[in-house]
Amino acid sequence: MKPSVVLISPKNEVLLLHRVKTSTSFASAHVFPGGNLSGQDGECPPVEDPRRHDDAIWYRNGALRELFEESGILLAKDQSSGKMLTVPEQQREEGRKKIHRNELTFTEWLKQQNPAAVPDTEQLIPFTRWVTPTNVPKRYSTQMYLYFLPLPLESDKSLLSELPAEGEEFHIPTSDGGIEVTEAKFLPASEWLRLAGSGEVIMFPPQIVLLHLVSQFLDQEPRIATSMEELRRRRAELVDFVHTGSPPWTEKCISPKMLKIASDGRTVLALDHPGPELKDTDRKGEPDRVVLVKFAKGTALQVEVRWKKDVLAEDKERSSL
């Protein structure tokens, strides 16, 4: 069971982490911050319980704990005042190491900084769940979330490049020293997709699909928004989109399943299945899109999101020739 965060920067860029090549999952790939649930996150229902695959506080706690461990970005607040917690970099670095070594829990460390501190779980927006296909030996159920870091505070008329974001110094990601991550960086979603398309970075279908969706809203032309009003508008459109669909993207549960082999040899993955663990529930995936991908030596290449109707129409046209 895993939680993961699509973290949006004050400039509407997306944080990805470059995993170490020795990682047991997604080795050398670029991924969203996240990882395995821990007992400190809360008690998850047993394996046979479908509620194990629902958004819940243990996933939210785990998402923010893993984000802190892997990138150093702390998303916590003073429960009494509602103000975000700001902790100097050296204290954050010491804390994430102690938490990673299991010397203390994330909650215990937060209380040391401020007795009223709690993870800022309320600002997490569910953004699909992914269940590993049955043909993969190591399977996970991963709850994805969106989280928007605060926009700069200055006038909407000011240029973005001139604006400091609220607490910006606390939102600069760093690697964990090579334990699990070699690099942590914010880039526009469209730039991450370009890097994946050119083969400069490795990404798997969940990352490509979510970046594809985010890019449609946050990277509209002109790609770089120059006012707070424009940044805010794009964020609002993305949030509205996430709450639409049948089911909405907040509730989609996707277990990719091979649909066919495309003419170029890539595998076409259907996204409408929720996985065998949820076959007798009302959970559903994404019916309208598919992913084309070439799997090679444990990695994913040439990953592309397409409309299912277009892919099927192309096949029908070829067969009629």
Side-chain angles (χ1 to χ4, degrees):
M1 315 307 289
K2 291 176 176 281
S4 192
V5 186
V6 183
L7 186 67
I8 309 300
S9 80
K11 296 182 180 180
N12 280 358
E13 297 178 337
V14 181
L15 176 64
L16 285 185
L17 312 178
H18 188 190
R19 295 192 66 81
V20 296
K21 62 182 179 181
T22 55
S23 176
T24 56
S25 61
F26 302 117
S28 298
H30 277 72
V31 299
F32 302 120
N36 293 323
L37 283 180
S38 164
Q40 63 182 288
D41 302 321
E43 187 174 353
C44 187
V47 175
E48 66 277 3
D49 192 333
R51 293 178 302 166
R52 188 177 177 88
H53 305 277
D54 292 343
D55 169 35
I57 190 59
W58 40 86
Y59 284 108
R60 291 172 178 250
N61 286 336
L64 299 187
R65 173 186 55 78
E66 284 286 341
L67 172 66
F68 180 60
E69 286 186 34
E70 294 186 328
S71 74
I73 293 178
L74 177 63
L75 300 180
K77 64 182 180 181
D78 182 309
Q79 196 169 24
S80 56
S81 69
K83 292 184 178 180
M84 295 299 290
L85 196 67
T86 54
V87 179
E89 181 179 6
Q90 183 175 347
Q91 287 177 235
R92 282 183 282 136
E93 289 302 307
E94 292 173 355
R96 64 195 286 204
K97 290 176 182 177
K98 288 180 180 179
I99 296 165
H100 189 84
R101 294 195 298 260
N102 295 316
E103 293 178 9
L104 76 172
T105 67
F106 182 43
T107 299
E108 289 169 344
W109 180 81
L110 282 178
K111 298 302 181 186
Q112 289 179 2
Q113 314 312 308
N114 181 332
V118 293
D120 189 29
T121 56
E122 294 178 2
Q123 298 303 313
L124 290 167
I125 302 172
F127 190 28
T128 68
R129 173 176 290 272
W130 291 74
V131 178
T132 311
T134 55
N135 63 328
V136 178
K138 187 176 290 188
R139 301 182 64 235
Y140 301 100
S141 179
T142 303
Q143 178 64 57
M144 301 284 194
Y145 294 100
L146 266 175
Y147 188 106
F148 295 93
L149 290 174
L151 290 171
L153 296 176
E154 306 293 336
S155 165
D156 288 351
K157 297 179 181 179
S158 301
L159 291 178
L160 176 63
S161 59
E162 299 173 354
L163 298 178
E166 181 182 7
E168 184 175 30
E169 66 272 23
F170 302 105
H171 300 150
I172 299 174
T174 58
S175 79
D176 62 0
I179 300 172
E180 296 182 46
V181 176
T182 62
E183 185 181 40
K185 183 162 59 175
F186 281 109
L187 284 176
S190 57
E191 178 62 11
W192 283 123
L193 292 172
R194 186 194 69 78
L195 292 171
S198 65
E200 296 175 64
V201 302
I202 298 170
M203 287 187 208
F204 286 82
Q207 287 75 33
I208 295 292
V209 169
L210 297 188
L211 285 170
H212 170 81
L213 298 174
V214 166
S215 179
Q216 293 178 8
F217 297 93
L218 299 189
D219 297 333
Q220 300 169 20
E221 292 297 332
R223 195 181 79 175
I224 300 176
T226 56
S227 74
M228 293 308 99
E229 180 181 358
E230 179 65 15
L231 285 170
R232 192 175 294 113
R233 182 188 67 80
R234 294 182 184 190
R235 287 183 170 202
E237 289 183 355
L238 174 57
V239 172
D240 286 345
F241 168 77
V242 167
H243 289 88
T244 66
S246 182
W249 289 90
T250 55
E251 299 176 15
K252 288 185 194 292
C253 186
I254 299 170
S255 183
K257 187 174 182 179
M258 185 175 127
L259 182 63
K260 59 186 288 299
I261 300 296
S263 59
D264 61 4
R266 287 185 292 175
T267 299
V268 179
L269 297 176
L271 305 177
D272 53 349
H273 301 277
E277 293 84 358
L278 297 166
K279 65 179 181 180
D280 296 325
T281 70
D282 60 359
R283 300 295 295 276
K284 297 178 182 178
E286 160 55 20
D288 300 322
R289 294 170 177 83
V290 295
V291 171
L292 281 72
V293 56
K294 181 178 181 180
F295 292 110
K297 297 180 180 179
T299 191
L301 305 171
Q302 302 173 35
V303 188
E304 181 184 9
V305 182
R306 297 277 306 277
W307 292 108
K308 181 190 286 188
K309 61 181 178 59
D310 292 343
V311 173
L312 297 180
E314 289 171 3
D315 286 348
K316 186 176 181 179
E317 182 179 342
R318 275 193 295 269
S319 64
S320 65
L321 296 178

